[in-house]
Structures are given as structure tokens and as C-alpha cells.
Amino acid sequence: MLFGMRLHANILATSALTPAVALVFQQKVKSYFDLLGLPKNVMSFADFSEEGLLNQLRYGWANRTAIRERLREVIPVLIRETAKSADIIAAIDRGEDIRATVRRLKEQGQY
């Protein structure tokens, strides 16, 4: 289990299906956990105390199996969605027309 503050640490952990809880340093961390469907996995600095930290860690540990199951559901979807953006950016880099690229991806069932 990871207890992290930084977005990319949390992305790396959850992408590997590692349960994570976070101290929200920036709104994007909260938004990421909302996107994962795990809004209870974050705590704010306003709630930061020895007791609050222990409660958050206990919550993550007690729910690690359910968190991992949720990650198994949502991470593959997010990977597919981000691959679409990568395909479009790669096409633009190759000099392809953006509209033609999106049309091609839709025809291939990728968009």
C-alpha cells in the first residue's frame, strides 16, 4: 500500500494495482482519486494530524482488497482512454491531419 502526496507516485502505484491513499497536496491528486472512484482514499491538510493520518492509513489497510478490486476494474479503462490520446498525438507528430486521424480511429473502433 502507498501513502502518497504527489500525483505521479499515486499514478504509478495504482497503475500497478497497488492500493493507495493520499494526502492531498494539490487538487489534481483529489481529482485523480475521484476519477478512480476512490474519493475516500484522500485526506486534506485540514484533516492532517497524528490521529487523522493513522485513521487514513488504517482505512487504506482495512480496505486494501476492495481498493485493489476497484483498480482492477478502472485502470484498464483508463489505459485504453489514454492510448487514444497517445495515438492522436503520434499522428499529429507524423504530420497527419487531426480530423482524418480521429475519423480513422473511429472507423477502427478505437475512439
Side-chain angles (χ1 to χ4, degrees):
M1 186 180 86
L2 172 76
F3 181 79
M5 274 181 38
R6 304 304 297 231
L7 177 63
H8 291 96
N10 284 293
I11 290 173
L12 288 171
T14 57
S15 294
L17 307 180
T18 300
V21 292
L23 176 61
V24 175
F25 172 66
Q26 294 177 310
Q27 179 62 34
K28 60 187 175 182
V29 174
K30 181 183 180 317
S31 296
Y32 179 66
F33 278 88
D34 288 346
L35 180 66
L36 294 175
L38 298 169
K40 292 182 180 179
N41 288 43
V42 299
M43 69 179 293
S44 69
F45 272 101
D47 298 325
F48 188 74
S49 65
E50 184 177 337
E51 182 179 346
L53 178 58
L54 285 172
N55 288 339
Q56 192 67 15
L57 290 170
R58 286 180 182 134
Y59 172 83
W61 188 254
N63 293 287
R64 66 190 181 280
T65 302
I67 294 167
R68 184 173 281 119
E69 288 305 313
R70 176 64 185 156
L71 295 173
R72 279 194 179 115
E73 293 171 11
V74 72
I75 292 297
V77 174
L78 294 176
I79 289 171
R80 283 192 300 274
E81 291 300 309
T82 57
K84 293 176 188 178
S85 298
D87 288 343
I88 291 170
I89 290 169
I92 292 169
D93 187 55
R94 291 189 300 268
E96 295 178 22
D97 177 72
I98 186 73
R99 287 182 216 95
T101 299
V102 171
R103 201 169 29 255
R104 177 179 51 81
L105 291 172
K106 283 182 178 179
E107 289 169 0
Q108 295 172 349
Q110 296 179 24
Y111 195 81

